[in-house]
Amino acid sequence: MKIRLERKEDYFEVENLVREAFYNVYRPGCFEHFVIHNLRNDKSFVKELDYVLTIDDKIIGNIVYSLGTLKYDDGKTRKILAFGPVSILPLYQHMGYGEKLINYTMNKAYKLGYNEIVITGNPKYYKKYGFESASKYKIYYEGLDRNEESPFFMIKIFDKDKLDIQNSEYSDPECFNINEELLKEFDKKFPYKEIVKKDTWL
């Protein structure tokens, strides 16, 4: 097993990996592979933290980081690090590879000088990495009611003595907003997969 930076020649393989990891999991089909495709050309992309995990030179996992925006209540803004999607090929899921990617790259992020990371995800899973509800620190996800708890929006703080955050709202980079028609066209580049519709989704 090796963890290394993603290379340009990996792009399509990684996009297909991400598609395999998310297809029909949270919605019919998926859009995460298109997010990554768009993110690589966006100013919010953190290239230094774009890693793949390989086994016998086969890419089986990927993680990407980007810079979202914190808008303080007084109107000021600043960037804050976020990761996701984290993708592992289905055959290799639930074997600890995602955990290895997350821990490895969070350590890299800290060494690069980042003090906080925000994510959206399952709090039961991410608690073990030191993530807490972001609302505890008066940071709220854009568009949601501040009076209602949003446990899926979390923050990890490496050094709380260096924390400098006021009441604020977080917004993802613009490239995370997906045009469904462009997604359909992009998806034609990949092998056919049947879209499944369920009564409930994860």
Side-chain angles (χ1 to χ4, degrees), residues 11 29 36 48 118 137 178 201:
Y11 284 1
I36 286 180
E48 298 85 356
V118 294
Y137 299 94
I178 296 300
W201 295 90

Side-chain angles (χ1 to χ4, degrees), residues 80-96:
I80 189 167
L81 189 66
F83 73 67
V86 183
S87 312
I88 303 293
L89 278 175
L91 184 63
Y92 297 89
Q93 290 176 5
H94 311 297
M95 296 180 180

Side-chain angles (χ1 to χ4, degrees), residues 11-147:
Y11 284 1
F12 183 78
E13 182 179 355
V14 168
E15 288 164 6
N16 192 54
L17 177 160
V18 175
R19 184 172 180 260
E20 290 290 329
F22 285 95
Y23 213 79
N24 293 328
V25 175
Y26 297 106
R27 56 165 270 169
C30 71
F31 58 81
E32 286 81 1
H33 58 312
F34 194 35
V35 166
I36 286 180
H37 178 78
N38 293 332
L39 178 61
R40 293 195 194 99
N41 296 312
D42 194 85
K43 62 183 179 181
S44 66
F45 182 49
V46 183
K47 187 176 182 180
E48 298 85 356
L49 293 172
D50 174 23
Y51 278 87
V52 296
L53 187 150
T54 67
I55 295 178
D56 296 329
D57 294 325
K58 175 183 174 62
I59 298 174
I60 64 101
N62 170 249
I63 188 170
V64 292
Y65 284 72
S66 58
L67 293 174
T69 302
L70 281 184
K71 183 176 181 180
Y72 295 149
D73 287 354
D74 64 7
K76 295 179 181 178
T77 63
R78 82 165 174 90
K79 298 299 181 181
I80 189 167
L81 189 66
F83 73 67
V86 183
S87 312
I88 303 293
L89 278 175
L91 184 63
Y92 297 89
Q93 290 176 5
H94 311 297
M95 296 180 180
Y97 293 116
E99 184 173 350
K100 291 181 185 299
L101 263 178
I102 292 168
N103 283 327
Y104 182 87
T105 56
M106 285 200 307
N107 184 52
K108 289 286 186 182
Y110 178 69
K111 289 179 178 179
L112 287 171
Y114 294 101
N115 190 52
E116 310 96 19
I117 303 173
V118 294
I119 58 166
T120 57
N122 185 337
K124 291 181 180 179
Y125 177 74
Y126 285 106
K127 181 179 179 180
K128 64 182 178 182
Y129 300 103
F131 282 90
E132 308 171 80
S133 174
S135 62
K136 177 180 176 181
Y137 299 94
K138 310 292 185 185
I139 306 168
Y140 307 94
Y141 198 85
E142 183 180 38
L144 298 184
D145 188 341
R146 294 189 179 189
N147 294 316

Side-chain angles (χ1 to χ4, degrees), residues 165-189:
I165 293 179
Q166 309 166 24
N167 285 15
S168 55
E169 284 194 350
Y170 170 81
S171 58
D172 288 314
E174 283 292 327
C175 64
F176 279 63
N177 298 321
I178 296 300
N179 179 299
E180 292 291 337
E181 290 303 315
L182 293 178
L183 171 60
K184 287 181 182 178
E185 192 62 31
F186 180 69
D187 217 36
K188 293 177 182 178
K189 298 180 180 181

